[in-house]
Every structure is written in C-alpha cells, then in structure tokens.
Amino acid sequence: MDDSGQRPEDDEQSEYEPESGILRVFGRQLKRLREWAGMERTELGARTGYSPSTIASYEQGRHIPPPDFIDQADGVLGAHGVLIEMKEEVARAQYPAFFRDAARLEAKAVGLHVYATQAVPGLLQTQEYARAVFGMMRPPLDEGVLEQRVAGRLARQEIFVRRPTPLFSFVIDESVLLRPIGGRDVLRGQLEQILLIGQKKTVEIQVMPLSREENSGLAGPFTLIETKEGRRIAYVEVQNVSRLRTDRDSVRALENKYGVLRAQALTPRESLTYIEKVLEAT
C-alpha cells in the first residue's frame, strides 16, 4: 500500500487529471508566512532572487517552485521547516498524475531495470529529445505544462549521481534507436548520451535487435523497481494509464520475462558497439 492506504496496483490515473493540490496548499502557506513576516512580494523576491510575479505564481499554485527557492523562502520567512517539509511532494507535482507514485519509488530505488519499446527511457533522454517526445502528445500539452514535464524528466536523472548509486539495466528495442524523434540532430545527441551513460559502471544497456526471431517482450514495455528493503515492484504504462504491481506472482512473471529479454538481446558491449555504428550512420 502507499502512504494513503491505497493499493498501488489498483491505482490507475490519466495524464489529464488536475494537478496535485499540494501546489495550492504550498502557495497558501507561502502567502500566509510572507504576510505574517510583514513582507511584500517584492522584498521576498529580492531576498530569494525571484521576481514578484514569480512569487505570485507560486502563491497561486500556478507554477512549481524549485527546491532552492523553497529552502531560501523557509529561511527568509522564518518558517522553521514548514515549507521544506513540503518540498518532496511539491517536486512530485512536476510529473503527470499517472507517474507520481512511480517517481517516488524510483527516486529511492536501489535497482532499476527498464524494457523500452517506443521511445528512449526517460532516465536516458536528452533535454531536446524529451521536449520532442512531449511535443508530439495529443491532445497537445500547454507550453507551460510541456516545459514542466521536461524539467521533471531531467530532474529524475539526478539519480545517476546519487550515493549510493542504484544499479541500472536497460533493454531497448532497436526500433527506438532508429526512430528520429525530433529530427536527425536530436537523435544524434540522444545516441551520444546513451553511449555516455552506458560507460558508467552501474549501468548496463542492451539492444534487442529487430532481426531476432524470438522476443519475449511483445506485450509491451515495463520497469522493475527494487527497493532498499529488497522488494521488487513492477511499473507498467500504456496510453498514459499506469499500474504499479506489487503482488509477488505478477512481479515474478515480469522478472522472468526480463531475464529472458536480456538473454535474447545483444550483450552490453555488443550493444554499445551497435549504437556507435547507428550514430555514425545518422
């Protein structure tokens, strides 16, 4: 169960549900603390490095305040940690509703294993590639929401420098590496990033060739999340509807499938060599 007592595997949400109420709650608290301190938005902005209009957007719950602003505002307003306590929940509002629980688990994971069939996994995406992916969504995203999604996706990649660093493995369908999302230049930058991240000792990247006669992953992409308590949770998403699976039988089935996929794919060394060749030809 999650913190609300709801079973994660029963939680299905749509991309187009309203944003989390945490932004409105944070905004009201920020405004109340500012007024108690006898401070105008201009002064708070000057002391934190943000414009009065930006402060207003935070107070009205229209934009997501970055972590550094929350830290500064808490100190400037003498909030004694009231704002800082909401920082993690505020950060989760960067993500679409259907992904927030998975993002929380991902951020604290000790192991992440991803099978990708449609686009480069979010943890590996460049800013340009991520913007192109979100830009192709239909109905189209509002420009502000699009930039929010891009920022949230890039923020997830801080996990690569976290200590202790989780162990990562990715099995990526070959078609993903050939699909020029955003154009050839964007794809080249994306392939370069995959090669760069693939050099990390904690990361293994494998390519599933289109020429393989056997592919056990035809049912679609999924992610296996390993917690520090030793639990395995599976995350499955399709058409912006997601499900977190925690029951052991379902997770074990996907674990077995992932093991077979890794055996069917190119080895990590072969995969990086292949990606280099694709980059040269792009």
Side-chain angles (χ1 to χ4, degrees), residues 118-139:
Q118 297 159 329
V120 171
L123 287 173
L124 302 179
Q125 290 182 9
T126 64
Q127 181 174 353
E128 294 76 16
Y129 188 95
R131 182 172 288 109
V133 169
F134 286 120
M136 288 187 291
M137 288 189 172
R138 295 296 182 272

Side-chain angles (χ1 to χ4, degrees), residues 143-198:
E143 187 63 28
V145 174
L146 187 151
E147 292 302 323
Q148 176 182 305
R149 295 288 184 262
V150 172
R153 181 150 294 180
L154 297 181
R156 289 169 54 202
Q157 297 174 8
E158 294 177 5
I159 195 171
F160 286 114
V161 295
R162 199 189 76 194
R163 294 291 182 273
T165 306
L167 296 177
F168 303 89
S169 70
F170 301 87
V171 178
I172 305 173
D173 193 83
E174 181 182 5
S175 62
V176 169
L177 305 173
L178 302 176
R179 187 172 294 125
I181 292 176
R184 294 290 173 182
D185 289 342
V186 171
L187 179 59
R188 284 186 58 83
Q190 181 59 72
L191 293 173
E192 290 172 352
Q193 170 131 317
I194 293 173
L195 288 171
L196 182 63
I197 295 177

Side-chain angles (χ1 to χ4, degrees), residues 58-75:
Y58 296 158
E59 290 184 349
Q60 294 161 10
R62 292 187 289 108
H63 290 97
I64 299 173
D68 64 338
F69 169 79
I70 296 176
D71 290 337
Q72 291 180 69
D74 193 274

Side-chain angles (χ1 to χ4, degrees), residues 16-208:
Y16 303 105
E17 288 183 3
E19 289 293 342
S20 171
I22 186 62
L23 296 183
R24 293 188 294 274
V25 172
F26 178 88
R28 287 195 295 268
Q29 289 283 56
L30 176 64
K31 182 178 181 180
R32 184 176 294 113
L33 288 164
R34 177 180 61 76
E35 291 176 342
W36 283 350
M39 197 176 296
E40 297 292 331
R41 287 171 179 160
T42 303
E43 182 180 353
L44 177 58
R47 296 180 65 175
T48 58
Y50 291 80
S51 69
S53 62
T54 299
I55 301 296
S57 72
Y58 296 158
E59 290 184 349
Q60 294 161 10
R62 292 187 289 108
H63 290 97
I64 299 173
D68 64 338
F69 169 79
I70 296 176
D71 290 337
Q72 291 180 69
D74 193 274
V76 168
L77 298 175
H80 303 290
V82 170
L83 297 178
I84 291 175
E85 282 184 0
M86 291 185 280
K87 186 162 63 172
E88 183 175 337
E89 289 299 314
V90 167
R92 285 179 62 201
Q94 298 176 97
Y95 308 115
F98 67 83
F99 186 69
R100 287 177 193 146
D101 285 336
R104 174 175 55 83
L105 291 168
E106 179 186 85
K108 299 178 181 180
V110 298
L112 286 165
H113 310 284
V114 182
Y115 175 52
T117 62
Q118 297 159 329
V120 171
L123 287 173
L124 302 179
Q125 290 182 9
T126 64
Q127 181 174 353
E128 294 76 16
Y129 188 95
R131 182 172 288 109
V133 169
F134 286 120
M136 288 187 291
M137 288 189 172
R138 295 296 182 272
L141 298 177
D142 175 81
E143 187 63 28
V145 174
L146 187 151
E147 292 302 323
Q148 176 182 305
R149 295 288 184 262
V150 172
R153 181 150 294 180
L154 297 181
R156 289 169 54 202
Q157 297 174 8
E158 294 177 5
I159 195 171
F160 286 114
V161 295
R162 199 189 76 194
R163 294 291 182 273
T165 306
L167 296 177
F168 303 89
S169 70
F170 301 87
V171 178
I172 305 173
D173 193 83
E174 181 182 5
S175 62
V176 169
L177 305 173
L178 302 176
R179 187 172 294 125
I181 292 176
R184 294 290 173 182
D185 289 342
V186 171
L187 179 59
R188 284 186 58 83
Q190 181 59 72
L191 293 173
E192 290 172 352
Q193 170 131 317
I194 293 173
L195 288 171
L196 182 63
I197 295 177
Q199 300 298 323
K200 295 179 180 291
K201 293 181 179 180
T202 56
V203 178
E204 289 190 331
I205 295 173
Q206 294 179 254
V207 175
M208 173 63 76

Side-chain angles (χ1 to χ4, degrees), residues 113-119 121 171-173 175-176 208 215-224 234-239 241 243 245 250 253-259 261 264:
H113 310 284
V114 182
Y115 175 52
T117 62
Q118 297 159 329
V171 178
I172 305 173
D173 193 83
S175 62
V176 169
M208 173 63 76
N215 182 328
S216 64
L218 297 180
F222 60 89
T223 298
L224 294 171
Y235 174 72
V236 181
E237 177 189 326
V238 62
Q239 294 297 329
V241 176
R243 176 165 291 186
R245 298 184 179 275
S250 295
L254 288 174
E255 287 177 329
N256 293 337
K257 180 178 291 188
Y258 192 73
L261 282 166
Q264 293 170 336

